[in-house]
Amino acid sequence: MLSSVLPVVVVQQLASALYDTALQIVVKERYSSATDPGLNASVAANSSPRDVSNFFMTFSLINQLVPIIPSVFLAKVGDRGWRKVPIVSAFVGYLLVRLTLLLVIVLRWPLEVVWAGGALYGLCGGFCSYWAGVMTLASLGSTAEERSRRLMSVELLYGVGGLAGSLMSGHLYYVFSASIGPGSLLVIISMALFLLCLFYCIFLLKVPEVSSEDGEEERSGLISVSDSDSPTPDVINIVLLFAGAIVFDVAGGATEILLSFEIVEPLNWDATQVGYGHGSWYAVFLTSFLGVMLMSRCLSDVSLIIIGMLSFASGIYFMAFVTETYMFYLARSLTLFSLIPTPTIRSMLSKQVNGSSYGIVLASLQLSFQVASLAYTPAYTKIYQATLSWSPGFVFTLSSIICVLGIIPISIVGCRSPRRRDYQSIPED
């Protein structure tokens, strides 16, 4: 356990949750203080939702665009035997982007400096390299039969770290605010935790070895076997799985608008409420994990994916009508199983290829998400800004419709998959 990738996942997300709350509230306070001082307090607090959403749109686009080429290079390096390189490189980037936010807070630099940190983060591979690297190590350390539960366990630990960090972040935000600036303590703790992760990955993290028996199991799953020695992946199923994952990711892209939606009217949350809101999202990791553990005994991977998609579609649809804090949590409660689809799809894809190709396949999927975000991030942002006056949650309704469409390719995979036969044929007389 001490040398596995699981502790990294917990500590990394704990650090990320602290940073996310700090960034969100720093952006809100900077744009609120930049409004016309002649406006009254209520108008000033809500006069810049477009500025806030534009900032997060640009920051997200930088984080998604810049890592595209570096993540492919790092994935190839990982598949050549250097499995830890994508993760180590990503942690260097995490440290750099958090350093820029700390300088913005302490030295009162322009907020746009954070975009430069995002570019450095992307050049180091970004989340694409980090998460593909983690999923690769988790896949290598599991058999084909247990892989869905294994990857969902990683998602669970990711959620546990995020939940703990989110619940603490709102209370820690204003500590030492008078001396070094609000949010600085959160960023310092976040950097210290990332530095700990970096040293752990370099000196303690071990790469699982794939046995010959596991190698045979990795060839099982949705594979068309022409002969026992040279199995051939079902390309159509792979394409359908990629399509379903990308459409689901596009639908989930609307949750980026929550960064703006939470801190302007009608919610207008403070740091503590933002932390709790993030915590409610990370709690879904726990419910999704329990859902996989309970339902995987009697349902196929395809059925689990469809249930998760329907859970997300219903929750994000209800989010469109949220005007009070309690309604936000009611909407979040409907997304209990919304994190099941993506790790389950990763599991199904990993069964298509040999262990030596896990890195490039999983990185390609993550890279597909990055490319898709280049389109949906500005699209959702502009739709949100255009409908802000009459329906701030309209983008969530659109997201729900797209999510339902993502069920189509996954259902086709289910129809094409061979069914297990639990009976024996009776020989003729």
Side-chain angles (χ1 to χ4, degrees), residues 197-216:
C197 287
L198 181 62
F199 289 143
Y200 177 93
C201 290
I202 294 174
F203 299 110
L204 294 178
L205 180 61
K206 302 296 182 184
V207 178
E209 295 183 2
V210 182
S211 64
S212 59
E213 180 181 352
D214 289 339
E216 292 300 320

Side-chain angles (χ1 to χ4, degrees), residues 249-288:
D249 183 68
V250 170
T255 58
E256 293 182 4
I257 299 300
L258 288 175
L259 295 175
S260 303
F261 186 75
E262 293 168 353
I263 58 179
V264 299
E265 290 292 347
L267 296 180
N268 198 24
W269 283 354
D270 58 20
T272 303
Q273 291 171 312
V274 166
Y276 287 153
H278 289 175
S280 69
W281 168 245
Y282 289 115
V284 177
F285 284 84
L286 174 60
T287 55
S288 295

Side-chain angles (χ1 to χ4, degrees), residues 41-245:
S42 62
V43 175
N46 300 288
S47 61
S48 56
R50 286 179 172 79
D51 293 331
V52 171
S53 58
N54 282 331
F55 174 87
F56 284 118
M57 178 187 68
T58 304
F59 187 60
S60 178
L61 287 174
I62 292 172
N63 286 340
Q64 304 293 348
L65 176 62
V66 178
I68 289 178
I69 295 178
S71 61
V72 173
F73 171 76
L74 290 168
K76 291 183 177 180
V77 171
D79 280 341
R80 291 178 180 176
W82 301 87
R83 294 292 188 187
K84 296 195 292 185
V85 170
I87 301 176
V88 170
S89 177
F91 278 130
V92 174
Y94 276 121
L95 285 169
L96 292 174
V97 71
R98 278 138 186 82
L99 177 61
T100 58
L101 179 59
L102 183 62
L103 294 175
V104 166
I105 295 173
V106 176
L107 302 180
R108 302 295 297 177
W109 284 2
L111 196 57
E112 289 72 20
V113 172
V114 177
W115 294 344
L120 294 173
Y121 164 70
L123 290 173
C124 294
F127 182 79
C128 180
S129 288
Y130 164 72
W131 200 238
V134 168
M135 289 290 119
T136 297
L137 293 183
S139 297
L140 289 172
S142 63
T143 62
E145 287 78 9
E146 66 178 17
R147 190 158 301 147
S148 294
R149 289 189 292 271
R150 174 72 170 180
L151 297 188
M152 200 63 226
S153 298
V154 175
E155 296 273 354
L156 170 66
L157 294 176
Y158 182 92
V160 168
L163 177 61
S166 297
L167 295 180
M168 292 189 299
S169 62
H171 298 285
L172 294 175
Y173 180 81
Y174 292 105
V175 176
F176 299 134
S177 61
S179 55
I180 56 178
S184 53
L185 179 63
L186 289 181
V187 181
I188 292 172
I189 295 175
S190 178
M191 292 181 63
L193 292 175
F194 274 114
L195 193 61
L196 177 64
C197 287
L198 181 62
F199 289 143
Y200 177 93
C201 290
I202 294 174
F203 299 110
L204 294 178
L205 180 61
K206 302 296 182 184
V207 178
E209 295 183 2
V210 182
S211 64
S212 59
E213 180 181 352
D214 289 339
E216 292 300 320
E217 289 178 342
E218 286 165 357
R219 298 187 181 99
S220 63
L222 302 175
I223 293 178
S224 300
V225 181
S226 56
D227 59 75
S228 59
D229 296 326
S230 56
T232 302
D234 190 327
V235 177
I236 296 178
N237 276 345
I238 293 177
V239 172
L240 289 170
L241 288 170
F242 262 79

